[in-house]
Amino acid sequence: MVARLTVSLTIWLIVNHKLWDEPRSDSLATVVMYYNLSTVLTLLITVFALYAGLVVLILLGGLVVIDPEFMTAQIRQEATVANYLDIAWLSAAMGVVAGGIGASFDSDLDVKRLTHGQRMRQRVYTDNDPDTDDVSRNS
């Protein structure tokens, strides 16, 4: 369930914000593949970390706020940590999905600036003319 949610949200963010790059030429295919791979891995790790962090925070908050006797009365069985964990992962899943939907309202340009190193990208996508290449000037 966690893996499916993480992968689905990552795909949603990539498609919605057009983060998947197509190579402009055959010589850049490898570089673009690495950019795409780094984007996918970064988003997967970030979404998973967000989800795991939310589960922990909600679990701790639930243990503090929800009285075990009240939980027992509501679910009509003895309240266990597993019940609190169920509440935490469900709440965190809804929070992560809501965050993904909320990210849809961010501009594509802002998201690309956050996920891609624009300076490096501009350097790599130039024609590597020594007059325009920052790397060769700084060497």
Side-chain angles (χ1 to χ4, degrees):
M1 177 67 178
V2 174
R4 190 177 312 155
L5 175 67
T6 303
V7 170
S8 298
L9 191 57
T10 298
I11 291 169
W12 167 260
L13 291 171
I14 289 171
V15 170
N16 189 51
H17 290 290
K18 301 169 191 75
L19 297 177
W20 194 261
D21 290 333
E22 295 293 328
R24 294 181 184 175
S25 67
D26 290 339
S27 64
L28 295 175
T30 304
V31 172
V32 172
M33 180 200 57
Y34 286 130
Y35 271 117
N36 288 335
L37 181 63
S38 69
T39 299
V40 169
L41 289 176
T42 300
L43 285 173
L44 280 172
I45 292 167
T46 302
V47 169
F48 179 76
L50 170 67
Y51 182 74
L54 277 174
V55 168
V56 169
L57 289 174
I58 294 170
L59 177 62
L60 293 174
L63 289 169
V64 169
V65 172
I66 303 172
D67 186 49
E69 289 83 28
F70 176 77
M71 171 96 71
T72 299
Q74 294 304 310
I75 62 175
R76 295 187 179 104
Q77 64 183 23
E78 188 64 33
T80 65
V81 175
N83 298 121
Y84 287 94
L85 191 58
D86 286 343
I87 292 170
W89 76 258
L90 178 61
S91 301
M94 291 188 308
V96 169
V97 169
I101 292 170
S104 301
F105 297 107
D106 293 335
S107 78
D108 293 343
L109 185 59
D110 288 342
V111 173
K112 282 189 180 184
R113 283 185 182 145
L114 289 170
T115 57
H116 291 76
Q118 289 297 313
R119 284 185 150 179
M120 184 62 176
R121 205 169 165 207
Q122 289 168 352
R123 274 188 246 147
V124 170
Y125 284 165
T126 62
D127 59 353
N128 290 326
D129 180 18
D131 295 331
T132 62
D133 190 8
D134 292 339
V135 175
S136 63
R137 267 190 266 156
N138 292 333
S139 299

